[in-house]
Amino acid sequence: MNKIEPPNWWVGMKWDTVQLMVYGENLNGVNVRSVDDKLKILNFHSSENGSYLLSILNSDELDENMNLFFLMMILKQKFPFQYLAEISQQ
């Protein structure tokens, strides 16, 4: 994995569903998992050429730090995904 967009999300946002775009190589066959029951993986799909993967996440009870796991056969890569505190309006 080379890059994940967006790299985080914000607590208190109107939407509790986030779409992540994962960029990299050989992402075909990658599964996305969370060990936290509060973070649900609704869907994920990799491109035919394996250069990107879309993942749709949902969490109605947010913790500041949650981990996503990208699994391919016996390889596992952990990605910390953060929900940041809402920025106060001044």
Side-chain angles (χ1 to χ4, degrees):
M1 294 185 323
N2 300 331
K3 184 178 181 181
I4 298 181
E5 291 290 338
N8 54 49
W9 198 242
W10 292 269
V11 172
M13 291 295 288
K14 180 179 178 180
W15 308 107
D16 59 359
T17 301
V18 180
Q19 179 175 297
L20 293 182
M21 175 76 85
V22 180
Y23 298 91
E25 297 175 8
N26 303 315
L27 296 174
N28 302 61
V30 169
N31 289 306
V32 183
R33 298 285 183 257
S34 171
V35 295
D36 191 331
D37 291 338
K38 296 176 186 177
L39 183 63
K40 299 170 190 80
I41 311 299
L42 300 180
N43 195 358
F44 58 91
H45 175 76
S46 60
S47 64
E48 285 186 27
N49 65 6
S51 61
Y52 68 88
L53 178 129
L54 291 173
S55 181
I56 300 174
L57 315 176
N58 178 273
S59 181
D60 49 3
E61 295 180 47
L62 303 175
D63 286 334
E64 188 174 317
N65 293 302
M66 298 181 175
N67 290 311
L68 295 174
F69 290 91
F70 295 88
L71 308 165
M72 183 169 189
M73 297 174 65
I74 61 170
L75 300 175
K76 176 170 74 171
Q77 183 169 357
K78 181 171 95 171
F79 172 75
F81 187 74
Q82 296 182 329
Y83 281 87
L84 303 177
E86 186 175 4
I87 298 172
S88 62
Q89 305 260 338
Q90 293 184 13

